[in-house]
């Protein structure tokens, strides 16, 4: 039986560190929801067709591709527009992920997404929250992406709070400590979840 884990957490939580351990040490196939969504927004793909129906062709550049930078600025300053995008793109993304998993079965698949919904709950056997302190998240974003402290706080305030993730998740990985500490938490989790499906 295939094990599908959903990996989530706020921006800067260090989800990529967890995904890399799962890939290297447990042979997990990694699927990142934002990459799947981006592929759906390419020319000729259903996501882009749906977005142009909603917002018109003004969201496209001269080549007919989505002008991602301008579009991102538009939707992140307009809550209603962002909600409309999510209502269209999220179901398509989860449907595509479902198809990818069905077409190429793998013993362990980790699906990383910033937001989970009922669709992800029906697909993933367990949801895993990567928990990291606000200060560590800010530090990682400033160091890794060159963001200002102000920009980090601005992005973070537009994401669900810690309580939302804790209520949603079956497992919590504390990603504030050393790599070894994180590895041992993942090891315990993987022992539990694989015992369940044996």
């Amino acid at each position: 039986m295939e094990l599908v884990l959903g990996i989530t957490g706020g921006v800067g939580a260090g989800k990529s560190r967890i995904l890399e351990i799962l890939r290297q040490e447990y042979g997990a196939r990694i699927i990142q929801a934002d990459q799947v969504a981006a592929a759906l927004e390419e020319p000729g793909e259903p996501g882009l067709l749906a977005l142009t129906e909603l917002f018109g062709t003004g969201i496209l550049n001269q080549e007919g591709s989505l002008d991602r930078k301008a579009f991102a600025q538009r939707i992140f300053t307009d809550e209603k527009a962002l909600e409309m995008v999510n209502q269209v793109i999220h179901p398509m993304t989860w449907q595509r992920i479902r198809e990818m998993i069905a077409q190429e079965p793998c013993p362990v698949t980790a699906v990383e997404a910033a937001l989970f919904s009922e669709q992800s709950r029906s697909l993933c056997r367990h949801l895993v929250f990567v928990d990291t302190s606000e200060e560590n998240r800010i530090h990682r974003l400033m160091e890794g992406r060159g963001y200002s402290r102000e920009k980090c706080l601005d992005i973070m305030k537009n994401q669900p709070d810690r309580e939302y993730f804790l209520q949603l998740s079956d497992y919590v990985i504390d990603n504030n400590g050393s790599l070894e500490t994180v590895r041992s938490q993942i090891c315990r989790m993987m022992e539990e979840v694989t015992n369940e499906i044996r």
Side-chain angles (χ1 to χ4, degrees), residues 29-76:
R29 169 185 41 196
I30 307 301
I31 297 176
Q32 291 176 284
D34 61 348
Q35 292 179 2
V36 176
L40 284 164
E41 293 164 358
E42 289 294 325
E45 289 290 332
L48 187 59
L49 294 171
L51 291 178
T52 51
E53 276 179 27
L54 277 175
F55 298 99
T57 54
I59 62 171
L60 305 176
N61 59 26
Q62 288 179 330
E63 289 78 42
S65 300
L66 181 64
D67 186 339
R68 291 187 185 278
K69 194 173 178 184
F71 189 58
Q73 284 175 337
R74 176 176 172 178
I75 62 171
F76 285 114

Side-chain angles (χ1 to χ4, degrees), residues 25 30 32 46 62 74 78 92 95 100 145 187 191:
E25 298 178 23
I30 307 301
Q32 291 176 284
Q62 288 179 330
R74 176 176 172 178
D78 181 343
M92 280 187 191
Q95 182 54 37
M100 289 165 74
R145 302 191 195 178
C187 180
E191 280 175 7

Side-chain angles (χ1 to χ4, degrees), residues 3-8 109-111 116 120-129 168-171 189-190 192-194 196-197:
L3 172 64
V4 181
L5 296 173
I7 311 294
T8 192
T109 296
V111 180
F116 281 102
S120 47
R121 170 58 78 187
S122 69
L123 177 65
C124 302
R125 187 175 183 90
H126 292 292
L127 299 184
V128 182
F129 169 44
L168 188 74
S169 302
D170 306 307
Y171 289 92
M189 176 185 77
M190 292 303 288
E192 277 187 38
V193 297
T194 49
E196 273 179 26
I197 60 174

